[in-house]
């Protein structure tokens, strides 16, 4: 038990130095945050929030349309064995995302709500109990309008997450369960929704395998019944996600090497009001690798690549086929006292060079995460 607790403390100290950076970090390391310790972990494993508490982070510029207002932020505070956090636009609330997508095509006065709805509040709470941390998350999405007097259009989503992080003999176990419900209605257009429920179950085990090396099996199970207009075709998804990765930290500068394989299968069923069901299965195999190294006291460099092959089969010939994809990313971290700046650099830099050489006014970075450590 003492050894387990000591290991946990080392992980906390490590997280302070390298684990922050959110999507700007793990997207530069192959695009899979589950294979490393990173702030994005607690979006699906709420118990991990305690480890990263006492920080303020913000991603001020996200590609238009990805999330409302094109920004993300989080404030995490720890007091003894308790930690709490409030976020804006952090990934993870599946019900909110499904509702926002459904509103865009729902008709009546509902598409306008897709631009107005916000996932707020987004609250986390975690408590440390010996060698275990229990965490929870609550996300509400609310929007309404009155296009006609006494006729209301509204949309609501509720996402609830529960998670446990526990130090075990085999390694650190992370488990997260997310439940959600989404609905909408438009009294003026006589529109109501149906379905809009689902759950996600995620698990990870970080297994020590020699000094500085961890083997990381991951598992994800999901079910989603999309919110749709009553009388329209029903769409449901059943999915499984399996992965096996490893990460290795070496040398006095704590260089990090990460690699792994992920297989994701999504089984989609469309049930029209009349006629036969349409079933489509999408299977994606991905393999990835990344490397991160501290160059000096204030600069860290990282880079990675990911290759995928996707096979689509089923009752819709227009969607069937095999496609492949490959992408690479690279980035840096600049650290000054309690301030961390993580940047996912634009790949165009390799072709045109920085502004001082090329004179190009294009963005230097496609993702920037600013973190201020509160302790």
């Amino acid at each position: 038990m003492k050894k387990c607790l000591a290991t946990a403390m080392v992980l906390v100290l490590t997280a302070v130095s390298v684990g922050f950076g959110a999507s700007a970090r793990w997207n530069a390391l192959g695009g899979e945050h589950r294979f490393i310790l990173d702030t994005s972990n607690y979006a699906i494993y709420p118990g991990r929030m305690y480890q990263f508490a006492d920080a303020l982070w913000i991603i001020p510029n996200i590609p238009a349309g990805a999330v409302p207002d094109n920004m993300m932020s989080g404030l995490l505070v720890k007091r003894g064995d308790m930690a709490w956090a409030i976020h804006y636009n952090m990934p993870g609330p599946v019900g909110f995302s499904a509702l926002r997508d459904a509103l865009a095509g729902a008709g009546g006065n509902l598409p306008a709500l897709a631009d107005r709805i916000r996932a707020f509040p987004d609250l986390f709470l975690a408590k440390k109990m010996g060698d275990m941390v229990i965490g929870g998350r609550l996300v509400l999405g609310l929007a309404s309008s009155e296009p006609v007097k006494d006729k209301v259009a509204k949309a609501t989503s509720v996402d609830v997450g529960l998670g446990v992080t526990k130090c075990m003999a085999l390694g650190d176990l992370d488990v997260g369960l997310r439940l959600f419900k989404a609905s909408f209605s438009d009294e003026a257009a006589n529109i109501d929704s149906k379905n809009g429920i689902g759950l996600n179950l995620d698990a990870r085990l970080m297994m020590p395998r020699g000094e500085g090396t961890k083997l990381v099996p991951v598992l994800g199970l999901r079910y989603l019944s999309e919110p749709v207009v009553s009388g329209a075709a029903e769409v449901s998804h059943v999915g499984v996600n399996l992965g096996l990765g490893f990460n290795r930290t070496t040398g006095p500068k704590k260089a990090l090497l990460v690699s792994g394989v992920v297989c994701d299968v999504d089984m989609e069923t469309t049930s029209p009001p009349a006629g036969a069901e349409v079933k489509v299965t999408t299977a994606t195999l991905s393999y990835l690798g990344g490397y991160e190294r501290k160059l000096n006291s204030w600069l860290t460099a990282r880079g990675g690549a990911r290759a995928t092959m996707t096979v689509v089969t089923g009752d819709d010939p227009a969607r069937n086929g095999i496609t492949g994809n490959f992408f690479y990313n690279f980035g840096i971290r600049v650290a000054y006292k309690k301030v961390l700046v993580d940047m996912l650099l634009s790949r165009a830099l390799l072709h045109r060079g920085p502004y001082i050489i090329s004179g190009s006014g294009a963005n230097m970075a496609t993702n920037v995460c600013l973190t201020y450590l509160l302790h």
Side-chain angles (χ1 to χ4, degrees):
M1 182 65 70
K2 291 182 178 179
K3 183 178 180 181
C4 187
L5 292 175
T7 302
M9 289 302 297
V10 170
L11 290 176
V12 170
L13 294 174
T14 302
V16 170
S17 60
V18 302
F20 290 96
S23 57
R25 179 174 181 248
W26 58 264
N27 273 318
L29 292 172
E32 182 55 74
H33 71 83
R34 294 177 299 174
F35 291 158
I36 59 175
L37 285 174
D38 186 88
T39 47
S40 293
N41 291 166
Y42 66 85
I44 60 174
Y45 309 124
R48 279 289 171 186
M49 189 273 290
Y50 181 88
Q51 177 175 340
F52 295 100
D54 281 340
L56 171 66
W57 62 265
I58 181 170
I59 303 176
N61 187 20
I62 294 172
V67 295
D69 303 323
N70 306 324
M71 57 89 70
M72 296 182 188
S73 61
L75 172 64
L76 301 83
V77 178
K78 183 188 299 182
R79 292 293 181 267
D81 291 338
M82 298 291 296
W84 63 268
I86 185 167
H87 290 79
Y88 185 68
N89 277 340
M90 186 177 185
V94 183
F96 173 79
S97 299
L99 176 62
R100 192 165 175 246
D101 291 341
L103 288 173
N109 302 287
L110 294 168
L113 296 184
D115 295 325
R116 296 176 56 181
I117 193 167
R118 298 291 184 270
F120 189 82
D122 183 351
L123 304 173
F124 282 81
L125 184 66
K127 180 174 176 58
K128 189 174 184 297
M129 305 168 61
D131 62 351
M132 178 173 66
V133 177
I134 298 176
R137 183 184 189 185
L138 174 64
V139 186
L140 301 179
L142 304 169
S144 66
S145 66
E146 191 176 347
V148 178
K149 184 174 176 58
D150 297 327
K151 299 288 186 178
V152 176
K154 62 182 179 180
T156 305
S157 67
V158 180
D159 288 81
V160 177
L162 300 172
V164 175
T165 295
K166 181 174 175 57
C167 186
M168 304 174 63
L170 288 176
D172 286 347
L173 174 67
D174 293 295
V175 178
L177 174 65
R178 289 172 287 165
L179 307 170
F180 46 89
K181 170 67 176 174
S183 62
F184 55 82
S185 65
D186 183 349
E187 295 175 347
N190 196 28
I191 296 175
D192 287 298
S193 67
K194 61 180 179 179
N195 301 334
I197 59 173
L199 64 86
N200 286 49
L201 177 64
D202 296 280
R204 172 180 74 174
L205 185 61
M206 304 197 80
M207 307 166 62
R209 287 293 182 269
E211 184 176 356
T213 301
K214 291 184 177 64
L215 189 66
V216 190
V218 297
L219 169 66
L221 303 173
R222 62 184 182 273
Y223 169 76
L224 168 64
S225 177
E226 296 183 11
V228 296
V229 175
S230 294
E234 299 183 6
V235 182
S236 63
H237 299 262
V238 176
V240 60
N241 184 286
L242 294 168
L244 181 63
F246 89 95
N247 65 70
R248 179 176 176 82
T249 304
T250 60
K253 294 191 176 182
K254 301 298 181 182
L256 173 68
L257 175 67
V258 57
S259 182
V261 178
V262 179
C263 180
D264 185 271
V265 178
D266 181 82
M267 293 167 283
E268 175 188 306
T269 301
T270 302
S271 305
E277 291 184 337
V278 177
K279 296 185 177 181
V280 176
T281 299
T282 303
T284 301
L285 179 67
S286 306
Y287 57 93
L288 60 101
Y291 183 73
E292 177 181 73
R293 189 175 189 273
K294 193 170 184 179
L295 302 180
N296 53 42
S297 61
W298 58 272
L299 182 63
T300 299
R302 54 178 71 109
R306 185 185 187 107
T308 65
M309 182 178 69
T310 300
V311 180
V312 181
T313 59
D315 301 327
D316 186 352
R319 296 173 61 182
N320 292 347
I322 300 175
T323 58
N325 192 21
F326 173 83
F327 72 87
Y328 63 92
N329 280 316
F330 59 98
I332 61 172
R333 162 177 290 176
V334 177
Y336 177 73
K337 295 184 179 180
K338 294 184 178 183
V339 178
L340 309 176
V341 181
D342 289 271
M343 291 185 284
L344 186 67
L345 299 177
S346 171
R347 288 190 289 268
L349 282 174
L350 297 179
H351 305 287
R352 60 174 169 78
Y355 175 82
I356 192 172
I357 296 176
S358 66
S360 171
N363 291 336
M364 175 181 175
T366 58
N367 188 324
V368 178
C369 180
L370 310 175
T371 304
Y372 179 73
L373 305 178
L374 302 179
H375 58 275

